[in-house]
Amino acid sequence: MRMLPSRVLIATNRFGLGANSFDVLKAQSNPKKWLHDQISSTKIEPEIPSKLPSSDQILLESYLSRGIKDEDKKQDIRKIRRKQFYGALSARLKNQIKTEHPFAERLVMFWSNHFTVSRTRGIIGPAIPAYENEAIRPHIFGPFEDMLLSVVQHPCMLIYLDNISSIGPNSLQGKRRGKDLNENLAREILELHTIGAQGGYTQADVTNFAKIITGWTVARKRKNARRQKTPPGNFMFNNRVHEPGEQILLGQTFRQNGQAQGIEALKHISRHPSTAKFIATKLVRHFVNDNPPAQAVEKIERVFKSTNGNLAKVSHALIDLDEAWDDTGTKVKSPEELVISTLRALYDDGLTALPPRRFLFPALKTMGQDIFHAPSPAGWPDEAEKWISPESLKHRIEWVRAISQYSSLSSQPLDVFANTIAPFTTDDIQKLIKGAPSREDGLALIFASPAFQRR
Amino acid sequence: MISRREFTALSAFGAMTSFMAPLAFADAPTKKRLIFINLKGAMDGLHALAPYADSDYRKLRPTLGLGFPGTDKGVLDLDGSFGLHPALTAFQSLYRSKELLFVPAVSTQYRRRSHFEAQNMLEGGGASPYQQKTGWLNRAIQQMGASPNRIGLSLGPTLPLIMQGQADVRTWSDSRLPEAGEDFLNRVSGLYDNDPILHKAFKQAYETETDPDSMKNMRLGNGRLELSMTAALSILKEKNAPRIAVIESGGWDTHFAQERRLGKLFRELGNSLALIKSELGPVWQDTVVMIVSEFGRTAAENGSNGTDHGTGGLAIMAGGNIKGGKIRGTWPGLSASALFSERDLAPSNQLEGLFMSTLVHHIGLTENQVADHVFPSINNIKMMEDLYH
């Protein structure tokens, strides 16, 4: 049997979204170059565009439908929205299967999970695929601060973490209505998106930062449309709820008025040394090891700092980490990674239609990862023990067996084996796969095997 | 058909069928039960158990504050100064029959306000975040006797930290995927010998008691407590049932619209507790239900009819053997000078003190076992006495 060099499969499995014959063909002459070439200064458009409307349209419809009393009509709207949402998830999955720049798509997933918004807040649910395309996708190879600014100005994030109801106590509205801050978004930006809980900020920093971003909100539909400057469902800055005056954050005083204060503060936070360390640690955990080696973290941290968070440079540096190529199979795939990589391997001769939906999103939920429904703003975990339990492994095994019945007829186990995991397995496992009683079971055994469950 | 040569290759993996045989369940080391309900997201204790007669409470919560007993949406009075949220009728009746007690102003050692650090400490039982890599309930199970496996029960596809550790834990989650089938599983069993994580999970998944038939129709829903509790109880009613169960409930992070959201959650929580008592029947006498959350919320309401992350929270304990009908621990009050960091209910009572008391007086471990093996990194635990008959 033909044996590919393991570096080809590290590039395609660990950095990409799962090897198949197409990837392997392109990556085999120079795996690193194949990855470096996927880093582009222009926005990576999905190859399968979703027909989903933009988030402002979806949110506007959601807000409008709140007033509807008629139960039947409400049900109809819910049905349409569900269809839209799952349509968008299917398009996203197809794109992840067919994409020719899987490293870039992996980074879209990484960053959209880093800046999680979740269906736990029902009203934003249908707009989350649009959020990913609008706030995350354009910035994966740009400056980190651009992504941060774009996320914090996105209606989904402002609603998800309650900034739309945070009111400066000394603002016009605060004084009139006796209303106060809601510090949820400010805290999670510091804790989860930038500095990190151990990065050195105080409760006063959280409170002051919350004051700084008061007024960052979403435009509602006004009765008098002519007076409406910002179209409904879009980000707007509302000076009437913005806390006036200067604020001290992380040792620096921000004297700006209005929205500029928040923009400057976010830029300051994204350049804070703890942010470089926090982001570097998370990236190295994703690409190298659940326990990120300190040396590798330092390398990425240095690039992040010296380039002011240039994510193209950071991504190049990740590819160049020796640690990522030394030790294979350290990472257990998340259920979503397992599903994508399995389907990429199964549809080696080209995907025409996805398998029945019950084997996709409901199955992902059963395996522990209901897409865009992370339980908390911390997003999905990135460590083996968070994903593998007796129950979840049982469901992974059930799933690979079920899904293998839907392979295209040309997928032959030994080809799939050679194109995905062959160099990382023992002879024993190869014998097991050869000894399978059917083509489908042979495929399922490949997908159940440790080398395939890992990357 | 597999050829003879291939069959030999297959058999080389050893006991191809034996892994399917259920392990005999050794007699559980105790008849006592613990059902640990983790309210994730930080429950607002002051909205469950309100010091309704306190003028500071009214000042801090002009909109959210619960009304006097007998008024519209007023509290269910307990003792003339504290009252329960009106959705917690199930709590009130157990309090009256002296089977339920409250410990307000309670907290782990954690004093900052990150959910994730706080949950890690609550479940890991360490003195600082991420210090412990396993869960304190798993460590407690390991102290319970010679055969600690499958004394614990956890629901859902992944294992919460509090149940992670050396002792095998019984797990259950709903699935509509077709079963993999015995022949396929036999083949799969040969795959994981060199992968410790997958090997351990595989062994536990299939070397197990079969779930009762009633489980086939059970669903976990989206973290709805009543559904999880119904599923857990049908396992807990089995003859040699697990003794220590962890059930998680989400949605408690009420930064906005707190009244509407907590009303629903409290009703579910009350119903779940009532369900435990009625379903367990006589076993209720040997059962304690512990309801806790990673921390409390701000004493004052915020700008969006909600509350932000705080410190002192609320623990609730119920069961046939509880010295109930009391509000236990120190009550620090809500005056400006009494608040922690000028904003939160002060953490006057130690959550680990309740855990220790339960492990010693209910489960039957010794104080030394708990101090040395369950909470080895916390050295100042003060066990709360007189919680059990």
Side-chain angles (χ1 to χ4, degrees):
Chain A
M1 193 177 57
R2 175 178 66 109
M3 185 75 108
L4 285 160
S6 59
R7 294 173 71 79
V8 176
L9 294 177
I10 291 172
T12 47
N13 287 326
R14 172 169 281 191
F15 286 94
L17 289 174
N20 61 17
S21 61
F22 294 107
D23 276 354
V24 160
L25 211 61
K26 287 195 207 118
Q28 65 184 354
S29 62
N30 189 341
K32 274 195 180 177
K33 182 171 183 300
W34 176 70
L35 292 169
H36 284 300
D37 286 349
Q38 294 179 41
I39 298 171
S40 145
S41 55
T42 53
K43 182 184 168 190
I44 308 277
E45 293 292 346
E47 279 139 87
I48 311 281
S50 95
K51 292 184 205 93
L52 193 73
S54 55
S55 62
D56 55 343
Q57 274 173 284
I58 300 170
L59 288 172
L60 176 63
E61 279 166 33
S62 302
Y63 275 124
L64 290 179
S65 68
R66 272 185 165 178
I68 295 171
K69 297 259 155 45
D70 184 343
E71 263 308 315
D72 289 345
K73 215 169 165 189
K74 259 188 172 165
Q75 280 297 340
D76 287 347
I77 293 174
R78 262 186 227 135
K79 235 196 226 155
I80 294 169
R81 241 184 261 138
R82 255 183 88 80
K83 214 178 142 195
Q84 253 179 4
F85 177 71
Y86 284 104
L89 285 196
S90 298
R92 181 175 182 264
L93 180 58
K94 267 192 196 169
N95 183 54
Q96 289 160 334
I97 296 167
K98 293 189 85 160
T99 182
E100 295 192 5
H101 32 75
F103 175 52
E105 292 299 333
R106 175 177 284 283
L107 286 167
V108 171
M109 290 162 69
F110 173 87
W111 289 112
S112 115
N113 187 51
H114 178 75
F115 289 110
T116 288
V117 298
S118 168
R119 281 191 277 149
T120 51
R121 181 63 66 86
I123 192 154
I124 62 167
I128 299 178
Y131 161 84
E132 184 178 79
N133 279 333
E134 295 163 7
I136 305 293
R137 182 176 284 282
H139 304 292
I140 56 165
F141 296 131
F144 174 76
E145 66 181 39
D146 285 6
M147 193 186 302
L148 179 64
L149 276 164
S150 136
V151 162
V152 181
Q153 294 182 32
H154 197 282
C156 284
M157 185 58 88
L158 291 164
I159 297 169
Y160 176 53
L161 291 178
D162 304 310
N163 212 58
I164 53 166
S165 53
S166 183
I167 296 175
N170 297 306
S171 67
L172 214 65
Q173 287 220 21
K175 278 199 263 183
R176 189 177 304 159
R177 291 162 53 201
K179 291 285 185 182
D180 208 341
L181 298 173
N182 184 317
E183 60 183 40
N184 202 15
L185 177 61
R187 177 185 303 284
E188 303 303 21
I189 290 172
L190 294 172
E191 179 182 336
L192 300 174
H193 302 153
T194 58
I195 307 263
Q198 316 282 341
Y201 58 86
T202 62
Q203 175 60 42
D205 288 322
V206 173
T207 308
N208 292 346
F209 185 34
K211 288 178 184 164
I212 290 174
I213 55 171
T214 43
W216 291 46
T217 188
V218 182
R220 301 291 188 101
K221 194 173 168 68
R222 298 179 66 154
K223 283 203 184 98
N224 186 343
R226 266 191 299 177
R227 289 187 57 193
Q228 180 131 25
K229 284 192 210 125
T230 312
N234 281 279
F235 169 75
M236 69 172 270
F237 177 77
N238 182 358
N239 208 30
R240 297 158 63 85
V241 300
H242 181 68
E243 179 75 0
E246 61 179 49
Q247 306 293 346
I248 300 173
L249 169 65
L250 298 163
Q252 181 158 325
T253 307
F254 293 88
R255 297 197 173 82
Q256 299 81 359
N257 288 323
Q259 191 186 350
Q261 194 177 35
I263 293 176
E264 286 314 307
L266 283 162
K267 285 183 179 169
H268 178 66
I269 292 168
S270 67
R271 288 175 194 165
H272 193 280
S274 295
T275 299
K277 183 165 191 196
F278 184 68
I279 299 291
T281 307
K282 217 169 152 173
L283 280 166
V284 173
R285 177 176 296 120
H286 186 75
F287 284 99
V288 180
N289 197 304
D290 289 3
N291 299 307
Q295 264 196 319
V297 173
E298 277 159 29
K299 279 181 218 162
I300 301 301
E301 190 183 341
R302 223 175 299 135
V303 175
F304 191 100
K305 268 189 206 157
S306 65
T307 64
N308 271 332
N310 180 322
L311 296 180
K313 296 266 163 53
V314 168
S315 306
H316 283 298
L318 284 165
I319 299 167
D320 289 331
L321 278 180
D322 292 340
E323 291 87 343
W325 303 83
D326 286 348
D327 212 358
T328 66
T330 50
K331 297 292 298 180
V332 163
K333 287 176 184 171
S334 70
E336 187 179 24
E337 292 173 304
L338 176 67
V339 166
I340 295 169
S341 56
T342 305
L343 295 176
R344 282 174 74 83
L346 271 181
Y347 291 97
D348 220 356
D349 57 347
L351 172 78
T352 45
L354 288 172
R357 191 170 287 169
R358 68 179 184 284
F359 293 118
L360 304 176
F361 311 113
L364 273 162
K365 183 178 174 186
T366 301
M367 290 186 271
Q369 194 173 21
D370 195 9
I371 300 299
F372 291 141
H373 204 164
S376 84
W380 299 111
D382 205 357
E383 288 132 339
E385 71 267 22
K386 303 273 171 61
W387 288 124
I388 296 296
S389 76
E391 280 301 299
S392 69
L393 181 61
K394 192 163 132 190
H395 299 324
R396 282 173 183 238
I397 293 168
E398 288 164 352
W399 182 79
V400 296
R401 179 104 203 282
I403 203 70
S404 296
Q405 316 297 318
Y406 291 91
S407 63
S408 61
L409 284 172
S410 63
S411 311
Q412 290 304 320
L414 287 181
D415 297 337
V416 171
F417 181 70
N419 281 329
T420 55
I421 56 168
F424 312 123
T425 56
T426 57
D427 286 353
D428 294 346
I429 286 178
Q430 199 181 323
K431 273 182 209 149
L432 262 176
I433 292 162
K434 277 188 191 162
S438 66
R439 188 181 68 94
E440 288 81 2
D441 273 4
L443 292 168
L445 283 169
I446 295 171
F447 304 140
S449 73
F452 199 91
Q453 294 288 324
R454 294 173 170 274
R455 62 175 171 94
Chain B
M1 280 294 281
I2 36 178
S3 71
R4 206 186 108 81
R5 207 194 61 206
E6 280 160 345
F7 180 75
T8 322
L10 282 174
S11 343
F13 292 99
M16 292 300 287
T17 45
S18 65
F19 82 94
M20 296 291 290
L23 283 183
F25 188 86
D27 280 342
T30 173
K31 59 175 187 163
K32 300 291 184 182
R33 313 288 183 104
L34 167 61
I35 300 178
F36 188 93
I37 302 179
N38 187 356
L39 309 180
K40 296 185 84 167
M43 172 186 56
D44 184 18
L46 290 173
H47 208 63
L49 178 72
Y52 68 86
D54 185 338
S55 61
D56 289 320
Y57 171 73
R58 311 244 140 248
K59 264 186 267 164
L60 289 161
R61 301 196 163 191
T63 324
L64 271 187
L66 300 171
F68 281 87
T71 62
D72 180 38
K73 291 179 188 150
V75 295
L76 310 168
D77 187 35
L78 294 183
D79 61 3
S81 50
F82 284 94
L84 289 172
H85 187 281
L88 287 170
T89 45
F91 281 26
Q92 190 190 30
S93 56
L94 285 169
Y95 183 87
R96 285 191 176 149
S97 58
K98 301 205 182 328
E99 294 166 287
L100 181 145
L101 62 81
F102 297 97
V103 186
V106 74
S107 169
T108 62
Q109 316 264 305
Y110 186 65
R111 291 293 175 272
R112 294 193 297 169
R113 295 183 185 83
S114 151
H115 290 299
F116 314 105
E117 291 189 331
Q119 285 163 2
N120 181 277
M121 280 179 62
L122 173 70
E123 298 189 36
S128 61
Y130 309 108
Q131 184 184 34
Q132 291 288 350
K133 305 291 175 215
T134 58
W136 67 265
L137 269 178
N138 194 294
R139 296 195 296 273
I141 288 170
Q142 291 169 48
Q143 293 300 312
M144 283 171 65
S147 54
N149 289 343
R150 316 195 76 75
I151 289 172
L153 170 69
S154 162
L155 300 192
T158 50
L159 205 57
L161 174 65
I162 194 168
M163 274 297 191
Q164 285 177 28
Q166 284 199 324
D168 289 357
V169 170
R170 176 136 174 218
T171 52
W172 179 83
S173 66
D174 59 345
S175 168
R176 287 176 217 205
L177 291 168
E179 282 177 23
E182 194 162 338
D183 175 75
F184 185 67
L185 288 173
N186 267 327
R187 294 168 193 277
V188 170
S189 75
L191 291 172
Y192 298 136
D193 291 347
N194 297 317
D195 190 315
I197 295 179
L198 296 178
H199 182 72
K200 185 178 174 207
F202 184 80
K203 258 185 61 186
Q204 283 188 45
Y206 291 102
E207 279 178 356
T208 167
E209 299 81 356
T210 27
D211 291 324
D213 281 345
S214 58
M215 300 307 289
K216 290 223 164 68
N217 300 318
M218 299 284 174
R219 290 287 170 258
L220 280 176
N222 277 325
R224 281 199 45 212
L225 187 60
E226 271 180 272
L227 287 175
S228 328
M229 195 57 79
T230 308
L233 284 167
S234 49
I235 294 175
L236 292 172
K237 282 195 300 191
E238 289 171 30
K239 193 158 157 274
N240 258 322
R243 294 300 191 249
I244 297 190
V246 171
I247 318 282
E248 295 187 335
S249 158
W252 298 87
D253 192 19
T254 49
H255 289 276
F256 78 104
Q258 170 163 309
E259 171 51 34
R260 173 172 58 79
R261 295 161 69 196
L262 283 188
K264 269 193 217 160
L265 288 169
F266 284 156
R267 206 160 294 120
E268 276 211 42
L269 186 58
N271 291 347
S272 303
L273 189 56
L275 198 65
I276 296 173
K277 188 179 172 184
S278 64
E279 288 289 302
L280 289 185
V283 176
W284 173 253
Q285 284 312 313
D286 291 318
T287 300
V288 62
V289 182
M290 233 175 169
I291 304 171
V292 301
S293 202
E294 68 260 30
F295 46 56
R297 308 190 69 83
T298 45
E301 63 190 38
N302 67 13
S304 14
N305 297 323
T307 46
D308 292 331
H309 304 180
T311 309
L314 173 68
I316 301 142
M317 295 173 67
N321 194 31
I322 286 278
K323 284 191 182 170
K326 290 175 188 163
I327 296 169
R328 292 288 313 272
T330 309
W331 172 249
L334 291 171
S335 66
S337 61
L339 294 181
F340 177 75
S341 299
E342 297 168 13
R343 61 178 255 157
D344 305 336
L345 180 60
S348 305
N349 304 297
Q350 229 188 14
L351 208 39
E352 295 88 348
L354 303 190
F355 298 161
M356 189 172 198
S357 179
T358 296
L359 293 178
V360 171
H361 297 304
H362 180 65
I363 300 293
L365 302 186
T366 66
E367 275 184 58
N368 283 341
Q369 276 179 305
V370 178
D372 297 346
H373 299 285
V374 182
F375 297 109
S377 46
I378 309 179
N379 49 25
N380 59 342
I381 301 181
K382 231 178 111 223
M383 184 154 79
M384 188 175 269
E385 295 296 344
D386 218 21
L387 296 172
Y388 293 92
H389 285 294

